[in-house]
Amino acid sequence: MKAVKHTLAAAALALGVCNGASAELITHTVDPIDFNINSYLSLNYTHDLTSYGLPGPTVNAVSLSVYLYDITDLFRAHSETVTFRFDGGPGQNVSNVSLWGRNYTFDLDASVLDNGVLSVSLNVGCDRRFFGICTSPQDVMFDRSVLTVDVTRAAVPEPATLLSLGAGLLGLVALRRRQRGIGHAVAIS
């Protein structure tokens, strides 16, 4: 009975080692030709990770980095306000985009990728309005957006690995039986 317990313990250990989860970083980039976002024209785009198997694996962390610059600061420096919205949620504002540009990084909740797609919307403010019409628009240039997702996938054991494991366990059982003398043929004279 003790040999069976040891064999089962070895099998549980081997299966635990073979069936470990693997961590993976997924990076998805949206990099169109530089796009002007202004008080009249917003930008909406998506990061679609369904081709990477999402939803499915466990999402540990989500980070979005958006690179913006303001070429009009060459002619007229002013303070822009850019509002970022993720999946239609509440907006996050950034101000004073420089001529030389900058990466704006957002750590997002993992639930934004429940369907495997992240929708992003960028809107730029207005300096002055006259009867509801923007008379002094703001603008920035959108260069690129990089979404980085840390996921954990459950490992699927290969059939050959399981076959090797089973053959090894049978070999251990046979060795144990041989050492104890079980299974030896008894000659009757």
Side-chain angles (χ1 to χ4, degrees):
M1 188 63 171
K2 195 174 183 180
V4 172
K5 287 182 183 178
H6 286 289
T7 304
L8 289 176
L13 177 66
L15 284 175
V17 170
C18 290
N19 203 16
S22 62
E24 176 184 352
L25 276 180
I26 299 172
T27 302
H28 184 266
T29 303
V30 172
D31 191 5
I33 296 173
D34 292 4
F35 185 82
N36 181 270
I37 308 166
N38 57 53
S39 300
Y40 308 114
L41 183 62
S42 62
L43 174 65
N44 299 299
Y45 63 94
T46 59
H47 284 278
D48 187 352
L49 300 179
T50 55
S51 63
Y52 294 94
L54 268 75
T58 303
V59 176
N60 303 317
V62 179
S63 177
L64 179 70
S65 182
V66 179
Y67 188 81
L68 302 173
Y69 64 96
D70 185 13
I71 198 163
T72 58
D73 274 357
L74 281 172
F75 311 109
R76 179 178 73 112
H78 62 280
S79 173
E80 302 85 11
T81 301
V82 182
T83 303
F84 292 82
R85 292 191 197 296
F86 309 108
D87 282 341
Q92 296 184 32
N93 293 330
V94 297
S95 297
N96 301 329
V97 177
S98 77
L99 168 66
W100 309 115
R102 178 176 159 210
N103 269 325
Y104 296 93
T105 302
F106 304 93
D107 292 325
L108 305 176
D109 188 71
S111 65
V112 298
L113 287 174
D114 283 344
N115 63 352
V117 177
L118 173 65
S119 298
V120 181
S121 174
L122 279 75
N123 298 301
V124 179
C126 178
D127 287 336
R128 284 187 298 277
R129 293 187 180 277
F130 183 71
F131 292 111
I133 298 172
C134 182
T135 58
S136 181
Q138 299 175 0
D139 69 335
V140 295
M141 296 297 289
F142 172 83
D143 184 42
R144 67 185 168 275
S145 175
V146 179
L147 180 67
T148 304
V149 182
D150 178 15
V151 298
T152 302
R153 298 183 191 271
V156 178
E158 301 173 30
T161 303
L162 290 178
L163 184 62
S164 297
L165 175 66
L169 289 175
L170 285 175
L172 285 174
V173 169
L175 180 65
R176 180 59 101 180
R177 293 183 76 168
R178 177 175 240 165
Q179 287 176 349
R180 289 192 171 195
I182 300 173
H184 282 257
V186 178
I188 301 178
S189 359

